[in-house]
Amino acid sequence: MPHGEPIGMDLGLEKFLAGSTGEWVERPRFFVNLQSKLRWLQRKLRNKKKGSANYRKIQAKIRQLHEDIYNVRREFHFLKAHKLCDHAGMIFAEDLNLKMTSRGILAKHCLDGAWGSFLEILKWVAWKRGVYFATVDPNGTRQTCPQCGAHTGKKELGERVHHCDERGYVTDRDVAAAQVVMQRGLVLAADGQSVMLPAEEGCLGTPMKQENPTARKGSPHSTC
């Protein structure tokens, strides 16, 4: 059940994770930092006779390198998931379209961060530790002011500061998005009840309402 301190988080490339509390985690480059070593091994592999003893040795080194990258990344994800659960009773994240992030010019960096794996690990760790976890609609989180709910317009990738002309609220762009995620999560955690968000108090005058999410098969609310 929803309880305790809420935290919203925003995943990205500039920062691996930005929290609604104002803290963030730098993005580690698990694959990118070892890419040159991988290319060197692959070049050596091409020069060896296929099926020879030296060919199989280099193949084993390449497999070991990929396994090391996977293990370091997975350990990092578990450490960050536990750290989030140490300081929160509710954690909210964006429901990202991971297929879209795995395409395009930044696909290698998105796949290196492995956001999907991190969210799955975080969901499992939160369940084990009794922390409420939910995902929210990601649309417009970077164009919404967490203080007043005003639409601030689309930001270019190089624009890293959120500035609201209505309230003069200035903060890091990713932190502002995490705060919007947290507010949407609080509406979701209210299970469809009308609630007043922090950004709406005293300025919008009307509470937001979100419909009950559709119960999925196998979920606690499902009859299947």
Side-chain angles (χ1 to χ4, degrees), residues 1 8-9 13 26-27 35 39 43 49 61 73 84 99 126 134 147-148 154 176 178 184 188 194 196 223:
M1 295 297 294
M9 63 178 194
L13 293 176
E26 293 296 332
R27 179 174 69 91
Q35 191 175 10
R39 286 174 177 169
R43 282 197 302 268
K49 184 179 178 181
K61 289 181 180 180
R73 182 190 290 124
L84 283 169
K99 287 186 178 180
Q147 284 282 316
C148 63
K154 187 176 180 179
R184 290 182 181 181
L188 183 65
S194 295
M196 182 69 74
T223 57

Side-chain angles (χ1 to χ4, degrees), residues 126-138:
W127 174 74
K128 290 289 286 185
R129 299 189 55 179
V131 175
Y132 181 82
F133 175 79
T135 56
V136 302
D137 184 3

Side-chain angles (χ1 to χ4, degrees), residues 24 30 39 67 85 94 96 113 119 147 157 184:
W24 63 75
F30 307 102
R39 286 174 177 169
E67 186 176 348
C85 292
E94 292 175 309
L96 297 173
L119 290 175
Q147 284 282 316
L157 279 175
R184 290 182 181 181

